[in-house]
Amino acid sequence: MRTEERALPTAPRRSRQSSAEARDKALAATAELLAEGGFQAVTMEAVAARSGVAKTTLYRWWPNRAAVALACVSARMAPIGDGGPAGSYRERFQRQLKATIRLLNSGEGQAITALIGAKQTDPLLAEAYSEQIARPRRAQTRMLLQQAIRAGEVAAGTDPDLFLDAIYGPLYYRKVVSGEPVTDAFIDRIVDAAFIAFSARA
């Protein structure tokens, strides 16, 4: 006589958090800590407790709290872009600066400004920030400036650092130091003044 075999019930599979999900949680927790208490609030223990990601896992990805803070900020910074090739290079720089201030004014921007403030008193953090974030972004804006020079909108031989400091300096001064508002009209005036001062016809 043939007996009917019954399949044994299987235990439900425990869902495993993917590495990408865990990493995102860790970076989100780091952003919250930066916004709430600045760089001093970011410790590997605090990130682990806030995110639910094991501290041993965090150390596999980042060697220290500065590394996780920089990864957090880098992930949240908008890529250098100007919204497309339409318009003059003056207009493209204006769009770029407006996108930057929108990011800095957002919730995620609080983490960025907290790290910018912290690096003023932490030389190692300052150097890492410069190497991983500031210099690569500066290189991209230099490329946009070189295109403006080739198009004849900016004078040949213009010092790129002087030009870029002239347009980005006032934005970061108001945002990080003085606290005065950075409006679209203010950005338009900054860029207009720079293009007049460095004009190929000046």
Side-chain angles (χ1 to χ4, degrees), residues 16-107:
R16 296 183 62 184
Q17 183 173 246
S18 72
S19 294
E21 290 172 336
R23 190 181 181 93
D24 288 345
K25 286 184 178 180
L27 294 178
T30 303
E32 292 173 2
L33 291 166
L34 278 168
E36 292 169 8
F39 182 57
Q40 294 305 315
V42 178
T43 65
M44 300 304 258
E45 292 78 10
V47 173
R50 179 72 64 97
S51 66
V53 178
K55 192 164 68 168
T56 53
T57 301
L58 297 179
Y59 275 113
R60 283 204 303 269
W61 293 332
W62 303 290
N64 51 48
R65 69 193 188 105
V68 69
L70 286 167
C72 164
V73 167
S74 180
R76 280 152 177 76
M77 293 191 98
I80 295 293
D82 55 35
S88 66
Y89 282 95
R90 179 185 301 207
E91 292 168 336
R92 293 171 72 173
F93 269 104
Q94 288 169 337
R95 290 197 299 268
Q96 170 56 38
L97 265 69
K98 288 171 185 177
T100 298
I101 198 60
R102 281 197 301 272
L103 173 65
L104 293 177
N105 285 337
S106 69

Side-chain angles (χ1 to χ4, degrees), residues 103-151:
L103 173 65
L104 293 177
N105 285 337
S106 69
E108 293 183 337
Q110 294 178 18
I112 297 171
T113 53
L115 193 63
I116 291 173
K119 74 184 182 68
Q120 308 307 317
T121 56
D122 188 325
L124 292 178
L125 177 62
E127 177 56 30
Y129 180 92
S130 178
E131 180 180 345
Q132 297 180 36
I133 297 177
R135 289 174 193 160
R137 293 177 69 83
R138 187 77 158 193
Q140 292 178 59
T141 53
R142 279 171 176 260
M143 290 176 60
L144 187 60
L145 172 59
Q146 290 302 323
Q147 293 170 12
I149 291 173
R150 287 196 293 269

Side-chain angles (χ1 to χ4, degrees), residues 154-166:
V154 176
T158 291
D159 183 327
D161 289 323
L162 189 60
F163 178 91
L164 295 174
D165 284 349

Side-chain angles (χ1 to χ4, degrees), residues 162-175:
L162 189 60
F163 178 91
L164 295 174
D165 284 349
I167 62 172
Y168 283 94
L171 182 153
Y172 281 99
Y173 178 82
R174 284 200 171 193
K175 182 61 185 176

